[in-house]
PDB file of all heavy atoms in Angstrom:
ATOM      1  N   LYS A   1     -11.986  -0.709  25.644  1.00 84.00           N
ATOM      2  CA  LYS A   1     -12.168  -0.394  24.224  1.00 84.00           C
ATOM      3  C   LYS A   1     -11.756   1.049  23.978  1.00 84.00           C
ATOM      4  O   LYS A   1     -11.922   1.899  24.840  1.00 84.00           O
ATOM      5  CB  LYS A   1     -13.626  -0.603  23.812  1.00 84.00           C
ATOM      6  CG  LYS A   1     -14.031  -2.068  23.780  1.00 84.00           C
ATOM      7  CD  LYS A   1     -15.394  -2.248  23.153  1.00 84.00           C
ATOM      8  CE  LYS A   1     -15.749  -3.732  23.018  1.00 84.00           C
ATOM      9  NZ  LYS A   1     -17.017  -3.923  22.330  1.00 84.00           N
ATOM     10  N   ARG A   2     -11.192   1.278  22.804  1.00 82.00           N
ATOM     11  CA  ARG A   2     -10.805   2.650  22.485  1.00 82.00           C
ATOM     12  C   ARG A   2     -11.704   3.202  21.382  1.00 82.00           C
ATOM     13  O   ARG A   2     -12.102   2.479  20.468  1.00 82.00           O
ATOM     14  CB  ARG A   2      -9.337   2.755  22.113  1.00 82.00           C
ATOM     15  CG  ARG A   2      -8.926   2.106  20.815  1.00 82.00           C
ATOM     16  CD  ARG A   2      -7.436   2.307  20.592  1.00 82.00           C
ATOM     17  NE  ARG A   2      -6.980   1.679  19.354  1.00 82.00           N
ATOM     18  CZ  ARG A   2      -6.901   2.313  18.184  1.00 82.00           C
ATOM     19  NH1 ARG A   2      -7.285   3.571  18.080  1.00 82.00           N
ATOM     20  NH2 ARG A   2      -6.458   1.683  17.120  1.00 82.00           N
ATOM     21  N   PRO A   3     -12.009   4.511  21.470  1.00 84.00           N
ATOM     22  CA  PRO A   3     -12.887   5.111  20.457  1.00 84.00           C
ATOM     23  C   PRO A   3     -12.148   5.347  19.141  1.00 84.00           C
ATOM     24  O   PRO A   3     -10.966   5.661  19.133  1.00 84.00           O
ATOM     25  CB  PRO A   3     -13.289   6.447  21.093  1.00 84.00           C
ATOM     26  CG  PRO A   3     -12.173   6.781  22.019  1.00 84.00           C
ATOM     27  CD  PRO A   3     -11.613   5.483  22.498  1.00 84.00           C
ATOM     28  N   LEU A   4     -12.869   5.155  18.060  1.00 87.00           N
ATOM     29  CA  LEU A   4     -12.306   5.375  16.732  1.00 87.00           C
ATOM     30  C   LEU A   4     -13.298   6.195  15.915  1.00 87.00           C
ATOM     31  O   LEU A   4     -14.486   5.874  15.870  1.00 87.00           O
ATOM     32  CB  LEU A   4     -12.056   4.017  16.071  1.00 87.00           C
ATOM     33  CG  LEU A   4     -11.175   3.992  14.820  1.00 87.00           C
ATOM     34  CD1 LEU A   4      -9.731   4.328  15.167  1.00 87.00           C
ATOM     35  CD2 LEU A   4     -11.237   2.630  14.161  1.00 87.00           C
ATOM     36  N   GLY A   5     -12.803   7.257  15.298  1.00 91.00           N
ATOM     37  CA  GLY A   5     -13.654   8.102  14.456  1.00 91.00           C
ATOM     38  C   GLY A   5     -13.450   7.746  12.992  1.00 91.00           C
ATOM     39  O   GLY A   5     -12.334   7.801  12.492  1.00 91.00           O
ATOM     40  N   ILE A   6     -14.509   7.351  12.311  1.00 94.00           N
ATOM     41  CA  ILE A   6     -14.395   6.948  10.900  1.00 94.00           C
ATOM     42  C   ILE A   6     -14.971   8.034   9.988  1.00 94.00           C
ATOM     43  O   ILE A   6     -16.170   8.321  10.028  1.00 94.00           O
ATOM     44  CB  ILE A   6     -15.125   5.609  10.648  1.00 94.00           C
ATOM     45  CG1 ILE A   6     -14.518   4.516  11.535  1.00 94.00           C
ATOM     46  CG2 ILE A   6     -15.047   5.213   9.185  1.00 94.00           C
ATOM     47  CD1 ILE A   6     -15.289   3.227  11.559  1.00 94.00           C
ATOM     48  N   PRO A   7     -14.111   8.645   9.148  1.00 95.00           N
ATOM     49  CA  PRO A   7     -14.604   9.665   8.212  1.00 95.00           C
ATOM     50  C   PRO A   7     -15.329   9.008   7.036  1.00 95.00           C
ATOM     51  O   PRO A   7     -15.186   7.808   6.808  1.00 95.00           O
ATOM     52  CB  PRO A   7     -13.330  10.362   7.724  1.00 95.00           C
ATOM     53  CG  PRO A   7     -12.184   9.734   8.460  1.00 95.00           C
ATOM     54  CD  PRO A   7     -12.668   8.437   9.013  1.00 95.00           C
ATOM     55  N   THR A   8     -16.053   9.803   6.288  1.00 96.00           N
ATOM     56  CA  THR A   8     -16.685   9.303   5.063  1.00 96.00           C
ATOM     57  C   THR A   8     -15.597   9.069   4.016  1.00 96.00           C
ATOM     58  O   THR A   8     -14.476   9.569   4.150  1.00 96.00           O
ATOM     59  CB  THR A   8     -17.695  10.324   4.499  1.00 96.00           C
ATOM     60  OG1 THR A   8     -16.983  11.518   4.153  1.00 96.00           O
ATOM     61  CG2 THR A   8     -18.790  10.644   5.495  1.00 96.00           C
ATOM     62  N   MET A   9     -15.913   8.315   2.982  1.00 95.00           N
ATOM     63  CA  MET A   9     -14.950   8.052   1.905  1.00 95.00           C
ATOM     64  C   MET A   9     -14.507   9.366   1.247  1.00 95.00           C
ATOM     65  O   MET A   9     -13.339   9.549   0.932  1.00 95.00           O
ATOM     66  CB  MET A   9     -15.565   7.125   0.851  1.00 95.00           C
ATOM     67  CG  MET A   9     -15.878   5.730   1.344  1.00 95.00           C
ATOM     68  SD  MET A   9     -14.434   4.786   1.867  1.00 95.00           S
ATOM     69  CE  MET A   9     -13.761   4.268   0.301  1.00 95.00           C
ATOM     70  N   TYR A  10     -15.460  10.280   1.081  1.00 96.00           N
ATOM     71  CA  TYR A  10     -15.144  11.573   0.441  1.00 96.00           C
ATOM     72  C   TYR A  10     -14.135  12.341   1.275  1.00 96.00           C
ATOM     73  O   TYR A  10     -13.159  12.899   0.757  1.00 96.00           O
ATOM     74  CB  TYR A  10     -16.425  12.398   0.259  1.00 96.00           C
ATOM     75  CG  TYR A  10     -16.258  13.587  -0.663  1.00 96.00           C
ATOM     76  CD1 TYR A  10     -16.525  13.472  -2.022  1.00 96.00           C
ATOM     77  CD2 TYR A  10     -15.821  14.822  -0.185  1.00 96.00           C
ATOM     78  CE1 TYR A  10     -16.368  14.557  -2.871  1.00 96.00           C
ATOM     79  CE2 TYR A  10     -15.657  15.908  -1.032  1.00 96.00           C
ATOM     80  CZ  TYR A  10     -15.930  15.765  -2.378  1.00 96.00           C
ATOM     81  OH  TYR A  10     -15.757  16.840  -3.226  1.00 96.00           O
ATOM     82  N   ASP A  11     -14.354  12.366   2.602  1.00 97.00           N
ATOM     83  CA  ASP A  11     -13.436  13.068   3.499  1.00 97.00           C
ATOM     84  C   ASP A  11     -12.059  12.412   3.510  1.00 97.00           C
ATOM     85  O   ASP A  11     -11.036  13.094   3.555  1.00 97.00           O
ATOM     86  CB  ASP A  11     -14.006  13.126   4.921  1.00 97.00           C
ATOM     87  CG  ASP A  11     -15.203  14.061   5.025  1.00 97.00           C
ATOM     88  OD1 ASP A  11     -15.312  14.960   4.178  1.00 97.00           O
ATOM     89  OD2 ASP A  11     -16.016  13.899   5.953  1.00 97.00           O
ATOM     90  N   ARG A  12     -12.038  11.081   3.441  1.00 96.00           N
ATOM     91  CA  ARG A  12     -10.755  10.364   3.395  1.00 96.00           C
ATOM     92  C   ARG A  12      -9.996  10.708   2.108  1.00 96.00           C
ATOM     93  O   ARG A  12      -8.776  10.873   2.123  1.00 96.00           O
ATOM     94  CB  ARG A  12     -10.983   8.847   3.467  1.00 96.00           C
ATOM     95  CG  ARG A  12     -11.237   8.340   4.883  1.00 96.00           C
ATOM     96  CD  ARG A  12     -11.457   6.835   4.879  1.00 96.00           C
ATOM     97  NE  ARG A  12     -12.839   6.509   5.186  1.00 96.00           N
ATOM     98  CZ  ARG A  12     -13.332   5.293   5.229  1.00 96.00           C
ATOM     99  NH1 ARG A  12     -12.567   4.256   4.972  1.00 96.00           N
ATOM    100  NH2 ARG A  12     -14.593   5.086   5.525  1.00 96.00           N
ATOM    101  N   ALA A  13     -10.728  10.798   1.004  1.00 96.00           N
ATOM    102  CA  ALA A  13     -10.104  11.141  -0.279  1.00 96.00           C
ATOM    103  C   ALA A  13      -9.562  12.571  -0.244  1.00 96.00           C
ATOM    104  O   ALA A  13      -8.465  12.836  -0.750  1.00 96.00           O
ATOM    105  CB  ALA A  13     -11.112  10.981  -1.416  1.00 96.00           C
ATOM    106  N   MET A  14     -10.318  13.482   0.368  1.00 97.00           N
ATOM    107  CA  MET A  14      -9.858  14.871   0.486  1.00 97.00           C
ATOM    108  C   MET A  14      -8.609  14.953   1.361  1.00 97.00           C
ATOM    109  O   MET A  14      -7.672  15.705   1.069  1.00 97.00           O
ATOM    110  CB  MET A  14     -10.972  15.755   1.065  1.00 97.00           C
ATOM    111  CG  MET A  14     -12.105  16.047   0.110  1.00 97.00           C
ATOM    112  SD  MET A  14     -11.605  16.979  -1.368  1.00 97.00           S
ATOM    113  CE  MET A  14     -11.460  18.633  -0.711  1.00 97.00           C
ATOM    114  N   GLN A  15      -8.573  14.163   2.426  1.00 96.00           N
ATOM    115  CA  GLN A  15      -7.382  14.119   3.292  1.00 96.00           C
ATOM    116  C   GLN A  15      -6.177  13.610   2.496  1.00 96.00           C
ATOM    117  O   GLN A  15      -5.072  14.165   2.602  1.00 96.00           O
ATOM    118  CB  GLN A  15      -7.642  13.203   4.492  1.00 96.00           C
ATOM    119  CG  GLN A  15      -8.586  13.791   5.525  1.00 96.00           C
ATOM    120  CD  GLN A  15      -9.033  12.757   6.559  1.00 96.00           C
ATOM    121  OE1 GLN A  15      -8.469  11.664   6.651  1.00 96.00           O
ATOM    122  NE2 GLN A  15     -10.044  13.096   7.330  1.00 96.00           N
ATOM    123  N   SER A  16      -6.390  12.576   1.702  1.00 96.00           N
ATOM    124  CA  SER A  16      -5.309  12.013   0.879  1.00 96.00           C
ATOM    125  C   SER A  16      -4.812  13.022  -0.148  1.00 96.00           C
ATOM    126  O   SER A  16      -3.612  13.124  -0.402  1.00 96.00           O
ATOM    127  CB  SER A  16      -5.791  10.758   0.139  1.00 96.00           C
ATOM    128  OG  SER A  16      -6.148   9.761   1.059  1.00 96.00           O
ATOM    129  N   LEU A  17      -5.752  13.764  -0.731  1.00 97.00           N
ATOM    130  CA  LEU A  17      -5.409  14.767  -1.741  1.00 97.00           C
ATOM    131  C   LEU A  17      -4.508  15.852  -1.154  1.00 97.00           C
ATOM    132  O   LEU A  17      -3.477  16.204  -1.734  1.00 97.00           O
ATOM    133  CB  LEU A  17      -6.696  15.391  -2.307  1.00 97.00           C
ATOM    134  CG  LEU A  17      -6.532  16.464  -3.386  1.00 97.00           C
ATOM    135  CD1 LEU A  17      -5.848  15.898  -4.621  1.00 97.00           C
ATOM    136  CD2 LEU A  17      -7.892  17.058  -3.765  1.00 97.00           C
ATOM    137  N   TYR A  18      -4.884  16.350   0.026  1.00 97.00           N
ATOM    138  CA  TYR A  18      -4.086  17.416   0.639  1.00 97.00           C
ATOM    139  C   TYR A  18      -2.807  16.872   1.274  1.00 97.00           C
ATOM    140  O   TYR A  18      -1.813  17.607   1.385  1.00 97.00           O
ATOM    141  CB  TYR A  18      -4.938  18.225   1.624  1.00 97.00           C
ATOM    142  CG  TYR A  18      -5.774  19.228   0.873  1.00 97.00           C
ATOM    143  CD1 TYR A  18      -6.993  18.865   0.307  1.00 97.00           C
ATOM    144  CD2 TYR A  18      -5.313  20.509   0.635  1.00 97.00           C
ATOM    145  CE1 TYR A  18      -7.737  19.752  -0.449  1.00 97.00           C
ATOM    146  CE2 TYR A  18      -6.040  21.417  -0.118  1.00 97.00           C
ATOM    147  CZ  TYR A  18      -7.259  21.032  -0.654  1.00 97.00           C
ATOM    148  OH  TYR A  18      -7.971  21.927  -1.419  1.00 97.00           O
ATOM    149  N   ALA A  19      -2.803  15.594   1.632  1.00 96.00           N
ATOM    150  CA  ALA A  19      -1.575  14.966   2.136  1.00 96.00           C
ATOM    151  C   ALA A  19      -0.515  14.935   1.030  1.00 96.00           C
ATOM    152  O   ALA A  19       0.673  15.112   1.295  1.00 96.00           O
ATOM    153  CB  ALA A  19      -1.870  13.556   2.624  1.00 96.00           C
ATOM    154  N   LEU A  20      -0.953  14.717  -0.222  1.00 96.00           N
ATOM    155  CA  LEU A  20      -0.019  14.710  -1.354  1.00 96.00           C
ATOM    156  C   LEU A  20       0.708  16.043  -1.489  1.00 96.00           C
ATOM    157  O   LEU A  20       1.873  16.101  -1.881  1.00 96.00           O
ATOM    158  CB  LEU A  20      -0.772  14.406  -2.664  1.00 96.00           C
ATOM    159  CG  LEU A  20      -1.311  12.992  -2.850  1.00 96.00           C
ATOM    160  CD1 LEU A  20      -2.210  12.915  -4.082  1.00 96.00           C
ATOM    161  CD2 LEU A  20      -0.175  11.978  -2.970  1.00 96.00           C
ATOM    162  N   ALA A  21       0.010  17.132  -1.136  1.00 96.00           N
ATOM    163  CA  ALA A  21       0.602  18.473  -1.231  1.00 96.00           C
ATOM    164  C   ALA A  21       1.426  18.836   0.004  1.00 96.00           C
ATOM    165  O   ALA A  21       2.340  19.654  -0.073  1.00 96.00           O
ATOM    166  CB  ALA A  21      -0.505  19.512  -1.438  1.00 96.00           C
ATOM    167  N   LEU A  22       1.104  18.224   1.153  1.00 96.00           N
ATOM    168  CA  LEU A  22       1.810  18.542   2.399  1.00 96.00           C
ATOM    169  C   LEU A  22       3.036  17.661   2.646  1.00 96.00           C
ATOM    170  O   LEU A  22       3.993  18.091   3.296  1.00 96.00           O
ATOM    171  CB  LEU A  22       0.845  18.416   3.584  1.00 96.00           C
ATOM    172  CG  LEU A  22      -0.270  19.460   3.652  1.00 96.00           C
ATOM    173  CD1 LEU A  22      -1.309  19.060   4.692  1.00 96.00           C
ATOM    174  CD2 LEU A  22       0.282  20.841   3.973  1.00 96.00           C
ATOM    175  N   GLU A  23       3.009  16.436   2.118  1.00 94.00           N
ATOM    176  CA  GLU A  23       4.121  15.489   2.336  1.00 94.00           C
ATOM    177  C   GLU A  23       5.486  16.027   1.894  1.00 94.00           C
ATOM    178  O   GLU A  23       6.461  15.881   2.638  1.00 94.00           O
ATOM    179  CB  GLU A  23       3.838  14.168   1.613  1.00 94.00           C
ATOM    180  CG  GLU A  23       3.047  13.187   2.461  1.00 94.00           C
ATOM    181  CD  GLU A  23       2.570  11.981   1.656  1.00 94.00           C
ATOM    182  OE1 GLU A  23       2.976  11.834   0.479  1.00 94.00           O
ATOM    183  OE2 GLU A  23       1.790  11.198   2.198  1.00 94.00           O
ATOM    184  N   PRO A  24       5.594  16.667   0.709  1.00 95.00           N
ATOM    185  CA  PRO A  24       6.907  17.171   0.298  1.00 95.00           C
ATOM    186  C   PRO A  24       7.492  18.176   1.293  1.00 95.00           C
ATOM    187  O   PRO A  24       8.700  18.196   1.521  1.00 95.00           O
ATOM    188  CB  PRO A  24       6.622  17.841  -1.053  1.00 95.00           C
ATOM    189  CG  PRO A  24       5.382  17.187  -1.553  1.00 95.00           C
ATOM    190  CD  PRO A  24       4.578  16.887  -0.337  1.00 95.00           C
ATOM    191  N   ILE A  25       6.631  19.000   1.911  1.00 95.00           N
ATOM    192  CA  ILE A  25       7.103  19.984   2.894  1.00 95.00           C
ATOM    193  C   ILE A  25       7.541  19.270   4.167  1.00 95.00           C
ATOM    194  O   ILE A  25       8.603  19.555   4.729  1.00 95.00           O
ATOM    195  CB  ILE A  25       6.000  21.023   3.221  1.00 95.00           C
ATOM    196  CG1 ILE A  25       5.619  21.788   1.953  1.00 95.00           C
ATOM    197  CG2 ILE A  25       6.472  21.991   4.304  1.00 95.00           C
ATOM    198  CD1 ILE A  25       4.449  22.722   2.135  1.00 95.00           C
ATOM    199  N   ALA A  26       6.704  18.328   4.623  1.00 92.00           N
ATOM    200  CA  ALA A  26       7.013  17.585   5.851  1.00 92.00           C
ATOM    201  C   ALA A  26       8.327  16.821   5.708  1.00 92.00           C
ATOM    202  O   ALA A  26       9.151  16.802   6.631  1.00 92.00           O
ATOM    203  CB  ALA A  26       5.875  16.627   6.174  1.00 92.00           C
ATOM    204  N   GLU A  27       8.533  16.207   4.543  1.00 91.00           N
ATOM    205  CA  GLU A  27       9.747  15.424   4.335  1.00 91.00           C
ATOM    206  C   GLU A  27      10.987  16.309   4.188  1.00 91.00           C
ATOM    207  O   GLU A  27      12.071  15.950   4.625  1.00 91.00           O
ATOM    208  CB  GLU A  27       9.600  14.525   3.097  1.00 91.00           C
ATOM    209  CG  GLU A  27       8.626  13.376   3.285  1.00 91.00           C
ATOM    210  CD  GLU A  27       9.002  12.426   4.410  1.00 91.00           C
ATOM    211  OE1 GLU A  27      10.206  12.160   4.612  1.00 91.00           O
ATOM    212  OE2 GLU A  27       8.085  11.969   5.115  1.00 91.00           O
ATOM    213  N   ALA A  28      10.802  17.484   3.590  1.00 92.00           N
ATOM    214  CA  ALA A  28      11.946  18.388   3.371  1.00 92.00           C
ATOM    215  C   ALA A  28      12.361  19.106   4.655  1.00 92.00           C
ATOM    216  O   ALA A  28      13.528  19.450   4.824  1.00 92.00           O
ATOM    217  CB  ALA A  28      11.600  19.408   2.295  1.00 92.00           C
ATOM    218  N   THR A  29      11.407  19.335   5.548  1.00 92.00           N
ATOM    219  CA  THR A  29      11.707  20.103   6.766  1.00 92.00           C
ATOM    220  C   THR A  29      11.712  19.247   8.033  1.00 92.00           C
ATOM    221  O   THR A  29      12.060  19.737   9.102  1.00 92.00           O
ATOM    222  CB  THR A  29      10.676  21.244   6.951  1.00 92.00           C
ATOM    223  OG1 THR A  29       9.355  20.678   7.039  1.00 92.00           O
ATOM    224  CG2 THR A  29      10.718  22.232   5.795  1.00 92.00           C
ATOM    225  N   GLY A  30      11.299  17.988   7.935  1.00 88.00           N
ATOM    226  CA  GLY A  30      11.169  17.116   9.101  1.00 88.00           C
ATOM    227  C   GLY A  30      12.503  16.638   9.664  1.00 88.00           C
ATOM    228  O   GLY A  30      13.555  16.768   9.030  1.00 88.00           O
ATOM    229  N   ASP A  31      12.445  16.096  10.861  1.00 88.00           N
ATOM    230  CA  ASP A  31      13.617  15.559  11.556  1.00 88.00           C
ATOM    231  C   ASP A  31      14.174  14.355  10.792  1.00 88.00           C
ATOM    232  O   ASP A  31      13.463  13.393  10.523  1.00 88.00           O
ATOM    233  CB  ASP A  31      13.196  15.143  12.975  1.00 88.00           C
ATOM    234  CG  ASP A  31      14.359  14.652  13.825  1.00 88.00           C
ATOM    235  OD1 ASP A  31      15.486  14.557  13.294  1.00 88.00           O
ATOM    236  OD2 ASP A  31      14.136  14.355  15.004  1.00 88.00           O
ATOM    237  N   LYS A  32      15.462  14.413  10.455  1.00 86.00           N
ATOM    238  CA  LYS A  32      16.082  13.335   9.673  1.00 86.00           C
ATOM    239  C   LYS A  32      16.225  12.041  10.469  1.00 86.00           C
ATOM    240  O   LYS A  32      16.425  10.975   9.891  1.00 86.00           O
ATOM    241  CB  LYS A  32      17.446  13.790   9.160  1.00 86.00           C
ATOM    242  CG  LYS A  32      17.331  14.851   8.070  1.00 86.00           C
ATOM    243  CD  LYS A  32      18.685  15.308   7.590  1.00 86.00           C
ATOM    244  CE  LYS A  32      18.526  16.397   6.522  1.00 86.00           C
ATOM    245  NZ  LYS A  32      19.832  16.917   6.068  1.00 86.00           N
TER     246      LYS A  32
END
C-alpha cells in the first residue's frame, strides 16, 4: 500500500487558486 496525504477542501481550493497564477509562468517557461 502507498501512503496518500489528503488536504482539507480549503487547502485544496487555495492550491487551485495559486495554481491559476503559477500556470501561465510554467507554461511560458517550461520545456516544449
Side-chain angles (χ1 to χ4, degrees):
K1 290 189 175 184
R2 68 180 179 93
L4 194 69
I6 301 170
T8 62
M9 295 297 282
Y10 193 92
D11 290 337
R12 280 180 250 179
M14 287 297 283
Q15 287 169 13
S16 297
L17 180 62
Y18 280 84
L20 290 171
L22 292 168
E23 272 170 8
I25 299 174
E27 290 300 323
T29 59
D31 184 356
K32 289 179 181 177

